[in-house]
Amino acid sequence: MFDELKDSIITGNEDKAKELTRKFLNEGKAAKEILNSGLIAGMDVVGQRFKTYEMYLPEVIMSATAMKNAMDLLKPHLSKSEGAAMGKVIMATIEGDVHDIGKNLVSMMLEGAGFEVVDLGVDVAVERIIEVAAKESADIIGISALLTTTMLAMEPTIQMIRKKNNRVKIMVGGSPITKEYADKIRADGFAPDALRAINLAKTLLLK
Amino acid sequence: MFIEDYQLEGGLTKQQLDVMHEKALYLIENVGINIPHEGIVKLLSNYDGVKIEKDHVKFRSDLVMKALKAAKYDIPEYSKNNWIISAGAHQTSYYDLDTGQLRSPTSEDLVDLIKLGDALDTVGSAPVVPLDVPIHLQIILMHKIAWEYSRYRCNDIYEHMDKPTTESANYVYEMAQVTDKRFTFGVWMISPRSFDKNGLQVAYSLLDKGIPMWVSTMPVAGVSAPITMLGTILQSMFEHFAGLTMLNLINTKANNYISPNDAFEADAFDMKYTTFVYGSAEYIRHTLHQIALCKYYDIPIMTKTLLTSSKEPDAHAAFEIGVHTLIAALDGARAFRCGGLLSTGEIYCAEQLIIVHEIVEYIKNVLKREEFSEARLMVDEIESVGPGQSFVGRKSTLEYFRKEYWEPALFIHTNLGQWKEMGSKSIWQYARELARKKIKEHTYRIEENKKRELDKIYESAKKDKKLEDSFKFRP
């Protein structure tokens, strides 16, 4: 029944996804069923195809956008627990660094995967990250750096976040970051690209 | 600039370049850029033709044209009419010359790689970041080693070293003063249409020193620029020109220019693997457009042909680099960048530098001008050597054979038996042996009195708390 909706997500057809979501709601279908069997089922296929390099980044972004917009229609009809995002992630490029291509991709992909994302932008002071993470009761903080000089700010940033908030998980990424470096600075996780960042975020929620 | 026997035809026409030029001026005057630095914006507010709204700045076209006209490119004597290889820079992963394993580079590696680069007459910045020294000393040490052990590295228009803080820039400046080395500062635009704020701050702090400054930008197709190659190149032109205009208005005590290293750079992006792409067919086309633009604006041509997405010095790397460099050379390029880099600039490899050096030597010999003369037609020799006789013992053969044929150092012409007898080595092994030999035999050192000055400055940098703090972030 929800195959057409699922396909609209896979093909990134935002208008169709919204139209079908509205139609199912008008027909009295359960919002949770529309979500699980249509939207999430579609994004699962997208994630899998991106992982196996069958789908390309712009296509994935379109799918994520279709998912997000359809979800906005669905949200008022879901109970608080049903409508809750998979988790809440604060995203930021580290202080001193203004590069955000990778960070923006991760933010978009996280939203498409059902996370609620608060994107603080670039050159973000640690105090702001801590403040917003506390205010939003964030589950995860994602920090990005492109430069070898600014990536070194990650260690003290993580230390300071941990001092104030021991519950939140911290994931790091960016061109010069390696898994070894992430382990060394005691990040909870590292992802080399946007898709793996989504998988990492899902794993971190279970920890 | 170069005498050409063979040339490519086609590519962007003069009329098309005129259109792109007009569009770039339109964007600068009507769309503008962000300059997130209060002091610089205040300086710009003194000029007619600069429209400012908070940190958003638009320049009138005549200011842009003035900046383009004023730009000065100091081409060093040794690179005039010569083929130039610029070795890759700033790497934090390195193929160990003994084990062949990837690891973090050290100060010792930096010395070895600078020696190797000097032995091969390379220009450019320091190849690797010495990760065994504290962060605040790395850039200073990279300049020190480059100047101590090489003639051309970090010392001409082809260098593009970072100076991340004012304090570190001041140390490098002091070292340049005592060694008579070149010191410049580059500001990077962050596409689309903005700047690295920290870079602007360092530039602002250096304005009184009369230092040549350059601008660079690297818009990425489909990500930080439009998806089409021409759209990305246009954005690159717009950003380069706007950045140059800003420098021309604020850095009035010295010359300013577009860095030839990344002039009109427009990066391709692979939407499948979400990576930058260098060495691809499209990137080669971009190089041809870049060369056309450099000729149009009279900017020295430096092409990024020595880059590859391959992870090892293999057939993939050799093909991409060989084809790219040959095509660029046929279009007039004689300066080639990123030697020794692999994985689109994520790895430094000494063997790869040896290989690309050989590729460039090979191409030089492909494009070598054929001297046409009666003597070289050798009619007399053909007449003199009859059926059943040989030319091997002729004086003319002895006289010409070394000049007539290039003798490769790496792509040697052994037969199968000779190759087996020599150990059946791969090209990687030959390159490794050659790299080790060149490092061992390298002799250049800076004058002893200058070295002492460099040591003194470096020692004082080690003890400088303010320098150390400038690299510390507020946590």
Side-chain angles (χ1 to χ4, degrees):
Chain A
M1 183 191 296
F2 295 104
D3 282 355
E4 208 182 345
L5 178 58
K6 181 178 156 186
D7 283 346
S8 70
I9 297 295
I10 296 169
T11 54
N13 188 337
E14 184 187 333
D15 292 341
K16 191 81 182 166
K18 286 197 290 193
E19 179 197 320
L20 289 169
T21 302
R22 270 193 213 102
K23 180 179 156 262
F24 287 130
L25 285 170
N26 290 339
E27 287 171 2
K29 300 280 184 307
K32 193 182 174 188
E33 202 184 351
I34 302 172
L35 174 67
N36 290 336
S37 305
L39 306 187
I40 291 179
M43 277 313 287
D44 282 348
V45 174
V46 171
Q48 185 55 35
R49 289 188 185 170
F50 191 48
K51 194 177 174 186
T52 52
Y53 306 112
E54 290 166 71
M55 276 183 86
Y56 292 46
L57 183 64
E59 295 161 342
V60 176
I61 299 295
M62 293 307 280
S63 295
T65 307
M67 161 89 181
K68 188 175 176 290
N69 286 308
M71 187 65 191
D72 287 345
L73 295 175
L74 216 50
K75 257 183 194 166
H77 303 274
L78 290 162
S79 67
K80 206 172 176 187
S81 61
E82 287 170 345
M86 193 175 270
K88 194 176 269 189
V89 186
I90 308 294
M91 291 293 298
T93 299
I94 195 92
E95 185 169 11
D97 201 325
V98 291
H99 298 86
D100 61 0
I101 293 174
K103 187 262 299 165
N104 292 348
L105 292 179
V106 173
S107 292
M108 282 191 269
M109 300 269 295
L110 280 169
E111 283 188 338
F115 284 86
E116 186 179 344
V117 176
V118 181
D119 190 337
L120 299 180
V122 298
D123 189 15
V124 185
V126 63
E127 290 87 349
R128 178 147 168 74
I129 298 175
I130 291 168
E131 180 199 323
V132 177
K135 192 178 147 204
E136 299 284 342
S137 301
D139 302 295
I140 299 169
I141 293 172
I143 311 170
S144 163
L146 177 84
L147 307 172
T148 47
T149 45
T150 56
M151 82 175 191
L152 295 154
M154 280 185 168
E155 187 169 14
T157 297
I158 289 173
Q159 284 168 3
M160 192 152 168
I161 293 170
R162 295 240 190 269
K163 266 188 211 164
K164 307 272 179 181
N165 185 341
N166 210 18
R167 187 191 65 83
V168 72
K169 304 288 182 205
I170 304 169
M171 60 182 195
V172 294
S175 178
I177 316 291
T178 59
K179 184 174 181 316
E180 292 71 31
Y181 183 72
D183 290 344
K184 190 181 152 221
I185 62 174
R186 295 198 311 115
D188 293 303
F190 154 80
D193 59 37
L195 178 75
R196 283 157 188 85
I198 310 311
N199 295 338
L200 172 65
K202 287 178 182 170
T203 313
L204 289 177
L205 284 183
L206 300 174
K207 282 189 176 174
Chain B
M1 187 186 287
F2 298 98
I3 299 163
E4 303 293 353
D5 281 322
Y6 300 96
Q7 285 184 51
L8 291 181
E9 286 185 7
L12 294 172
T13 64
K14 163 83 170 54
Q15 288 72 22
Q16 289 167 337
L17 294 170
D18 287 343
V19 171
M20 292 175 81
H21 173 80
E22 288 305 320
K23 301 281 183 202
L25 295 184
Y26 166 83
L27 289 167
I28 298 166
E29 192 162 333
N30 294 284
V31 178
I33 56 168
N34 278 12
I35 302 180
H37 191 282
E38 239 176 77
I40 290 176
V41 170
K42 200 172 166 200
L43 288 177
L44 292 171
S45 68
N46 295 325
Y47 292 93
D48 281 342
V50 181
K51 274 191 197 165
I52 298 170
E53 209 173 294
K54 288 184 185 166
D55 62 357
H56 190 72
V57 180
K58 296 171 185 172
F59 297 109
R60 211 172 52 207
S61 295
D62 60 302
L63 294 176
V64 182
M65 292 307 294
K66 206 172 155 192
L68 279 167
K69 208 172 164 191
K72 196 173 152 227
Y73 299 90
D74 298 323
I75 301 296
E77 273 306 313
Y78 53 78
S79 76
K80 285 179 185 164
N81 295 317
N82 278 327
W83 293 61
I84 297 295
I85 293 178
S86 173
H90 288 273
Q91 295 305 298
T92 52
S93 281
Y94 168 62
Y95 270 123
D96 187 295
L97 253 181
D98 293 320
T99 66
Q101 298 298 306
L102 271 179
R103 64 168 172 78
S104 298
T106 63
S107 320
E108 208 178 312
D109 299 324
L110 176 62
V111 173
D112 282 350
L113 293 172
I114 285 286
K115 285 181 178 176
L116 175 64
D118 192 54
L120 296 170
D121 294 332
T122 61
V123 301
S125 301
V128 290
V129 181
L131 293 176
D132 57 334
V133 303
I135 174 80
H136 61 282
L137 297 174
Q138 287 169 359
I139 288 290
I140 299 170
L141 186 63
M142 286 158 81
H143 281 87
K144 180 178 186 285
I145 300 290
W147 289 339
E148 271 183 44
Y149 293 94
S150 78
R151 295 156 296 160
Y152 313 131
R153 298 298 280 275
C154 299
N155 195 28
D156 57 34
I157 198 164
Y158 305 120
E159 71 90 22
H160 58 293
M161 289 281 281
D162 281 344
K163 284 107 186 170
T165 68
T166 301
E167 289 76 5
S168 63
N170 284 333
Y171 272 101
V172 177
Y173 177 73
E174 197 185 341
M175 292 200 302
Q177 296 293 101
V178 298
T179 50
D180 300 321
K181 296 285 185 179
R182 182 180 163 93
F183 181 90
T184 64
F185 186 76
V187 289
W188 282 90
M189 291 204 70
I190 305 295
S191 297
R193 297 192 266 139
S194 194
F195 277 99
D196 173 8
K197 191 170 78 176
N198 297 319
L200 289 182
Q201 176 52 35
V202 180
Y204 186 72
S205 72
L206 295 171
L207 289 178
D208 281 342
K209 286 191 158 75
I211 289 161
M213 292 195 187
W214 48 265
V215 64
S216 264
T217 186
M218 296 171 75
V220 182
V223 182
S224 57
I227 186 68
T228 60
M229 186 185 298
L230 287 181
T232 310
I233 292 173
L234 178 61
Q235 183 164 319
S236 187
M237 292 169 71
F238 152 45
E239 291 177 349
H240 271 105
F241 297 164
L244 179 67
T245 308
M246 176 197 77
L247 285 180
N248 196 46
L249 296 175
I250 63 166
N251 189 35
T252 50
K253 292 184 179 173
N255 68 301
N256 305 287
Y257 57 96
I258 290 169
S259 169
N261 295 302
D262 289 298
F264 311 116
E265 181 70 17
D267 288 342
F269 192 76
D270 186 307
M271 296 291 180
K272 183 175 180 179
Y273 297 102
T274 61
T275 53
F276 295 101
V277 187
Y278 297 106
S280 65
E282 295 76 21
Y283 195 73
I284 295 176
R285 261 170 47 220
H286 155 265
T287 296
L288 294 174
H289 298 331
Q290 186 192 24
I291 292 170
L293 283 162
C294 284
K295 287 176 182 170
Y296 185 88
Y297 290 104
D298 205 15
I299 294 171
I301 299 167
M302 167 59 86
T303 55
K304 238 171 175 170
T305 67
L306 306 180
L307 260 179
T308 173
S309 53
S310 181
K311 311 296 174 280
E312 294 184 343
D314 55 9
H316 172 181
F319 179 80
E320 285 184 346
I321 292 169
V323 169
H324 198 169
T325 307
L326 176 61
I327 289 177
L330 282 167
D331 206 22
R334 291 295 181 270
F336 310 97
R337 279 191 72 198
C338 301
L341 297 189
L342 291 166
S343 191
T344 62
E346 289 184 308
I347 299 170
Y348 200 87
C349 175
E351 296 92 326
Q352 180 66 8
L353 183 63
I354 294 281
I355 293 170
V356 301
H357 184 269
E358 188 83 344
I359 289 173
V360 172
E361 286 297 312
Y362 186 110
I363 292 170
K364 266 163 85 170
N365 282 281
V366 173
L367 299 186
K368 198 169 156 185
R369 166 162 274 209
E370 202 69 64
E371 278 178 55
F372 192 89
S373 66
E374 283 286 333
R376 285 174 55 78
L377 285 173
M378 293 199 167
V379 175
D380 294 348
E381 288 296 293
I382 295 168
E383 272 181 10
S384 305
V385 180
Q389 294 180 318
S390 168
F391 290 85
V392 173
R394 303 289 298 178
K395 271 187 186 168
S396 60
T397 304
L398 181 68
E399 188 187 333
Y400 277 91
F401 85 96
R402 286 188 196 279
K403 290 182 272 184
E404 202 65 12
Y405 295 94
W406 167 57
E407 186 183 337
L410 197 61
F411 304 154
I412 56 173
H413 304 145
T414 51
N415 66 26
L416 182 62
Q418 292 164 334
W419 176 70
K420 282 183 176 173
E421 197 180 274
M422 289 165 76
S424 310
K425 290 173 195 164
S426 69
I427 200 76
W428 194 341
Q429 285 172 296
Y430 275 120
R432 186 173 296 166
E433 285 173 9
L434 207 50
R436 283 198 191 114
K437 185 169 179 279
K438 286 193 178 289
I439 292 168
K440 199 175 163 195
E441 291 174 356
H442 177 264
T443 55
Y444 172 83
R445 300 290 182 278
I446 199 170
E447 296 91 315
E448 195 48 46
N449 60 327
K450 289 181 178 174
K451 181 177 164 25
R452 276 196 299 273
E453 291 295 324
L454 287 176
D455 288 342
K456 230 192 284 175
I457 295 167
Y458 187 62
E459 282 308 309
S460 101
K462 277 183 178 171
K463 294 172 204 148
D464 188 340
K465 189 78 178 51
K466 208 174 155 203
L467 168 70
E468 191 178 342
D469 287 346
S470 75
F471 279 79
K472 275 191 181 152
F473 294 84
R474 289 179 301 110

